Every structure is written in C-alpha cells, then in structure tokens.
C-alpha cells in the first residue's frame, strides 16, 4: 500500500537570519511551504543493534557526579523517551533500561536517509525540518527552573543525536551548560529563588545546528515570529526551591544555561521577605556546551541586607596606584527608581568588560569608576524624527533622545549632565573625567561628544536589546592601494573578499558593551577618530588639533606610529602579532586621504581590541591624567598584550553566530570645542 | 500569516510498523566538570 501523506517543511531563507530584535525590523522571517512525502515501505522493519558504548552503569539518577574524574555522567532512566526525525516522519523511542547506554524501542518506521534525534520527546514541539532535509530543532531553556536536589529535572537535559539511517547506534550530545552550587548561611531556608543574571542572553528559545557533527551548536540569534511563545529570551535564569520544599544548606543545586561568553554576572538570593542578597562576580567566563561549572559553596550570609534601589554615587573601582585617579563615570539615564539595581548590574558589567580589554586591563589600578544611580520619572528615552525633534516624549532625568531609524541626533541635555557631575564633585565641563550616559532603552545607537582638550567628554550608549548579541562588519570596499595618495576623480578601490574576512579580519560580535567601548574608551577617553569609512569618500581636512584624532595620519609621512614601523622587526621578535602595524589607507569616515595604523580595530567594528598604536596612546593618556610621568616605550611593550579576541582566540564551536543582527557603525563623534575657544 | 501560525509544530507524522519494533542502543555524553571560584577578587 502506498499512501500520500502531507508533511510540512519549513524553509529558512537568508532573510530569516534576522534576530528577534533588529534595527531594521524585518518580520515574518520564515516561509512555510507544503511538501508531499511518500510513505516508505521498509523491506525489513526490524533493526537490531549492538551496544558498543563503554562505561555503562545501572544508576537510576539522571546525573551522576564523578568527583574523581571531574565528569558528570548522564544516565537514562526507565521511561525516558526521545524522538527521531527523518524524511518528514517522526519515530518515538522509549526505554525500560537505565545507565549511560540503554536499549530503546520504537513502533515506528522511517524512510531511508539521515535521522535526527532529540531528547526528550516531550520538548520536540519546536522541531523545524529544513528544506534540505536536515533538521534544526528549536528548544528552549526555561528562564524559570525548579531545583532538584543533586540533579536536574530529566527534561532539562537537552540532548541531540544524528545517524545516517535508522539502523545506526546513537550517541547523544549535550547541548547546554550547567552550573552547580551549594549554599551556606542562616538564611538558606528563607530563600525562595536564586537568580543568575548574566547581562546577555542565556535562556529562552534557540536553534540547534550542526547535529550531524559531534559538536552541535546553539544559535541564540535566529529570530522567528512567535518564538517568544516557546520561551522568551532572557538574560537571567531563576531557580525555584524543590517542589514542596525549601532550599537547604550543603545540597547541590543545578541550573541550566546557554553556552555563551559573559563578562561578570550576578547571583541574587531572594528571600521570602522581598529582600535579597546579591553576589557579584567580575569574572569573564566562557560557558561551553556539555560542561558543568562547579561554583562550590556560596555563603549567602545570616541576614538579608537593605534594599539597593536608591539614588546615589558609589565607587565600583577605586584607583590604588597612589597617583591622581583617572575617572570614568557611568551614569544612569531612563531608569526609574525601581530599575536602579538593574542599572547597577549593567554598569558594573560594562566596567568589567572595559577592564578586560587592553590597555585598560593592565592599567586598571589607575582608574576610579563611579557608578551614578540617577532615577528618572519614566523608563527609556524620547524618540525623535531623526533630526532632533521629539515625537514621543519620555520624562527622563538627562532628556536623552534619538531617532527611531537614525541615531546621529542622539543627545542628552548637556547642561543638566554637567551640573549633575559638578554637584557630585566627580566631573563637569572642566574635568578630565570621562563620562558614559547609559540609557535604559533597547534601541541601537551610540555617540560621543568630545573636544580637542579632552575635558567634559561624554558618550551616550543605550543598553541595546537588553544585552542581546550584536555584530558589526568591516567595510566591503576599500582603497586599492594603501600607499598611493589619490585625489578625487583619480582613485582605485577593491572589494574586500570573503577570504580576507575569514583569514585576516574576522567578524566582530558582541553586545551594547562593545558600542560603549568604542564610544567611551575610543572616542571619549582616547579622543580617537573613527577608523571606518564610507564608500569612495575623500578626506582633505588635515588633522584635528590638540589631543584629538591621534590614531590617524593625514599623510604617508610623519604618522604618530612611524617609530613602531621603523622598529617593527624588533617588535615582531617580541610578538609576531606586531606585524599588524603598518599604514592602511582609510579612516575618519573617509576611504582616502587618512591612514590608520592597523587594518582593523575597535574603532572600525567595535571589537574588544585596540590597535597597538591606539593602546600606546591610551596608555599615554592614562599616565598623563594620573600624573604618573611620561610613557616609557620599553615598559609599554613589556606590559602589552596584542591579542585580538576576534582573530587570535579560537572561534567557539558550540555557538552559532549566524543570524546575529549586523549593525551599522554608530555616527561619528560630535566635536564640541565651544567651551574652550 | 501570524507568528503563532508560523510557530505551530510542523505536522510530522509517525508510521506504525505492521509486525515488529525498531530496537537501538542510545548512549549519552558526559559533562566535563570545571571548578570555578566565581566571587574571588583575583581578577
């Protein structure tokens, strides 16, 4: 008998590779097309397989901690079920066995061809068969999880497997990461939730890719209409006490999260009295697939402290070198009183990120970082028509506003900002303190107001997409020749090839904190010009005066970093990465007429990397502001680290970057010299 | 087409075998454990 059964395949198009939140607001990214699948008639429907897996045991708990070998074994339990997909059909398998290897049976047959298996069956409802016959399941990490003493609920351990046919053995691969911890202190039994806040997406719906390999990836960027219903993406995971019970001291608890990189995080231990204990970590961590991170025992104390949501300024980092502190102020805008603790976490996370990047990392002890908790009457920021006229007003303290589709008119009320900083004694028009107004708005944007003398500079940067992933690209067209001086009407360009992107330049991904790094540390502190350019544009304006724009040269001779080029052989003997120093045409938004010192840096695509010359200038400025004397060439290179995380640290194999929205560069800085003329 | 419709599970169908069952062995992958002291001040 041959019957025709309708199935549905969902084809993903390039246009669908758009995250749920994107500046260009594309909708309906998935097209649905109906296909007809014929029912197979397997000649021999019975497949018998031989187990070849070692290390099986008979334990009936889902996770077995092997403290000696530092592994956590995943054991099947009787009744466990998974679903296998192939050729438009599904086969459901169940086991009565247990252990790390078990026999499963299914009453269902599949057509010949590749099979994609997903555990547990109960959570396969997001499975998407692609047009090419492969499957990319969607799964969701719940943002609210219920603790299971010493383990996790069995349906929390998402596993996938691939086989060439239904008759093959299966090895399931873990998809997510876990964190294990214990608690101590008198208040443990009064805690009614534990929240892990990473400041970037760690839960919600995500696609699983590369199931055919032994290293499946997760994709937290592909957005699909209606995906939130499956599990809204969040920056945090909340762990509730075991059902019908309370948390207890000295018991292992586990929560599951997406394998992502984070810069600092918070754990909140909320009491049944509404108060909480907050534990902040400044660590940058790289959570990886199929790894369990053991935080050990966390002492939550014996009582809950008072509420954090109050206005005021506190020092998050305090200079400890004995020189004049170099001051960064991180200022809340568009946060209501109730949101100020969220602002603190975001600002601290931003500071942690900045001080993980050279040269700020090496010279961290020269800095004082003030976090300014300023309450607004309303959340967010005003919306303009793109030309400074407010179309949608929000009552916020510093009056931040910018356009719905454009952000070059991004502004705050500078008088209010400077008055605030002066009133707190931490900055102002005549202060070298560098300021960042962090705006509680999920739109994209970023701008800096700076001047030739580096006083009263401030960046404005929104918390785009609440910390969701963003990307930036390298220009697609550049000057054909780095060393030829062109003039308008006489120029040659070349396309930047995909091979160059892959091998020499890399792709920059990050979050709003990368925008902040570019605006605050590059423009505001370093007084750098942008190094990206608009297609076929000529700059003939010479060089700016004062401290500004030292990262560029307007001629082939006399670049500030010429001594680095002259000394390049010696530098390369210190570290081959110094071979990146040179003269590259393009910068200051012009393709021709300005030269930069390296091909790519934070001032092009917001990556967490300043070029060697930029690091030198930044270090010079740190030492100058600190009153710590002149920069010393040898000392600088002894302390320097030229590693670019984009090019020099292996790309993560368990995260897919496909679908992350690629943002345009932010607008050039506003040069504001009127106070000093 | 609304988002909800887009996100409905695909209509993947099972095919019941007439006489027997499929039997296979499925094994799992261990998690590697990493010790972290997240709240120390060493960085």
């Amino acid at each position: 008998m041959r019957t025709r059964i309708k199935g549905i395949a969902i084809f993903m198009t390039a246009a669908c590779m758009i995250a749920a939140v994107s500046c260009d607001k594309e909708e309906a990214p998935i097209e649905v097309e109906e296909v007809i699948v014929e029912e197979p008639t397997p000649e021999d429907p019975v497949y018998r397989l031989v187990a070849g897996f070692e290390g099986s045991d008979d334990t009936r708990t889902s996770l077995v901690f092997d403290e000696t070998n530092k592994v956590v074994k995943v054991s099947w339990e009787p009744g466990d079920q998974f679903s296998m997909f192939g050729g438009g059909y599904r086969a459901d398998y169940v086991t009565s066995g247990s252990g790390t290897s078990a026999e499963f049976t299914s009453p269902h047959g599949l057509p010949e061809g590749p099979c994609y298996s997903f555990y547990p069956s109960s959570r396969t409802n997001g499975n998407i068969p692609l047009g090419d016959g492969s499957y990319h399941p969607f799964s969701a990490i719940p943002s609210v999880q219920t603790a299971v003493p010493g383990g996790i609920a069995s349906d929390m351990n998402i596993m996938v497997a691939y086989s060439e046919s239904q008759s093959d053995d299966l090895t399931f691969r873990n998809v997510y990461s876990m964190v294990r911890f214990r608690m101590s202190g008198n208040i443990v039994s009064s805690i009614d939730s534990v929240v892990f806040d990473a400041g970037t997406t760690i839960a919600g719906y995500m696609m699983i890719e590369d199931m055919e390999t032994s290293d499946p990836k997760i994709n937290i960027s592909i957005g699909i209409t209606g995906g939130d219903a499956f599990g809204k993406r969040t920056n945090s995971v909340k762990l509730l006490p075991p059902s019908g019970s309370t948390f207890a001291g000295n018991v292992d608890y586990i929560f599951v999260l997406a394998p992502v990189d984070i810069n600092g995080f918070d754990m909140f231990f909320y009491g049944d009295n509404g108060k909480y204990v907050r534990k902040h970590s400044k660590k940058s961590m790289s959570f990886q697939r199929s790894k369990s991170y053991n935080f050990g025992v966390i002492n939550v104390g014996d009582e809950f402290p008072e509420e954090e949501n109050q206005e005021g300024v506190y020092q998050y980092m305090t200079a400890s070198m004995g020189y004049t502190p170099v001051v960064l102020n991180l200022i809340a805008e568009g946060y209501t009183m109730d949101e100020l603790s969220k602002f603190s976490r975001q600002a601290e996370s931003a500071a942690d990120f900045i001080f993980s990047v050279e040269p700020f990392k090496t010279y961290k002890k020269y800095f004082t970082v003030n976090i300014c908790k300023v309450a607004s009457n309303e959340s967010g920021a005003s919306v303009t028509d793109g030309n400074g006229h407010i179309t949608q007003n929000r009552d916020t303290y510093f009056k931040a506003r910018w356009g719905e589709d454009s952000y070059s008119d991004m502004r705050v009320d500078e008088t209010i900002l400077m008055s605030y900083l002066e009133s707190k004694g931490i900055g102002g028009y005549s202060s070298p303190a560098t300021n960042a107004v962090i705006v509680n708005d999920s739109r994209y944007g970023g701008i800096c107001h700076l001047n030739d003398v580096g006083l009263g500079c401030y960046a404005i940067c929104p918390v785009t997409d609440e910390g969701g992933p963003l990307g930036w690209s390298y220009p697609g067209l550049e000057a054909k020749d780095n060393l030829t001086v062109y003039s308008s009407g006489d120029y040659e360009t070349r396309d930047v090839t995909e091979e160059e992107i892959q091998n020499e330049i890399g792709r920059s991904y990050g979050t709003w904190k990368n925008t902040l790094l570019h605006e605050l540390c590059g423009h505001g502190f370093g007084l750098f010009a942008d190094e990206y350019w608009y297609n076929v544009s000529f700059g003939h304006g010479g060089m700016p005066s004062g401290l500004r724009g030292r990262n560029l040269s307007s001629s082939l001779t006399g670049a500030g970093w010429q001594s680095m080029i002259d000394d390049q052989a010696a530098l390369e003997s210190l570290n081959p990465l110094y071979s990146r120093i040179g003269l590259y045409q393009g910068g200051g938004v012009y393709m021709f007429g300005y030269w930069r010192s390296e091909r790519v840096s934070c001032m092009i695509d917001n990556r967490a990397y300043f070029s060697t010359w930029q690091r030198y200038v930044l270090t010079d400025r740190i030492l100058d502001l600190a009153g710590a004397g002149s920069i010393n060439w040898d000392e600088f290179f002894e302390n320097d680290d030229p590693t670019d995380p984009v090019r020099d640290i292996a790309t993560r194999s368990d995260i897919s970057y496909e679908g992350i929205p690629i943002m345009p560069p932010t607008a050039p800085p506003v040069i504001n010299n009127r106070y000093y003329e | 087409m609304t988002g909800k419709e887009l996100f409905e599970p695909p209509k993947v169908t099972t095919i019941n075998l007439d006489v027997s069952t499929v039997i296979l062995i499925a094994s799992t992958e261990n998690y590697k454990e990493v010790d972290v002291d997240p709240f120390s001040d060493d960085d």
Side-chain angles (χ1 to χ4, degrees), chain A residues 277-308:
Chain A
V277 170
R278 174 184 176 223
K279 294 281 184 181
H280 177 67
S281 173
K282 296 180 181 178
K283 285 190 187 303
S284 291
M285 289 190 62
S286 183
F287 289 96
Q288 295 178 352
R289 180 192 77 79
S290 195
K291 285 196 176 174
S292 169
Y293 296 83
N294 186 356
F295 283 8
V297 179
I298 299 171
N299 185 350
V300 293
D302 297 329
E303 58 184 34
F304 290 99
E306 293 305 311
E307 176 62 40
E308 270 188 353

Side-chain angles (χ1 to χ4, degrees), chain A residues 23 71 137 182 243 278 343 350 354 359 405 428 449 471 474 514 527 550 631-632 652 662:
Chain A
C23 64
V71 297
R182 296 178 175 215
S243 298
R278 174 184 176 223
F343 164 71
I354 288 168
D405 303 311
H449 292 240
Y474 188 84
N514 292 68
L527 305 173
R550 290 169 69 191
I631 187 168
N632 177 287
R652 295 198 51 166
I662 303 301

Side-chain angles (χ1 to χ4, degrees), chain A residues 89-108:
Chain A
Y89 293 90
R90 187 187 80 237
D92 296 328
Y93 285 79
V94 65
T95 186
S96 57
S98 61
T100 53
S101 188
E103 184 177 272
F104 282 75
T105 60
S106 173
H108 304 134

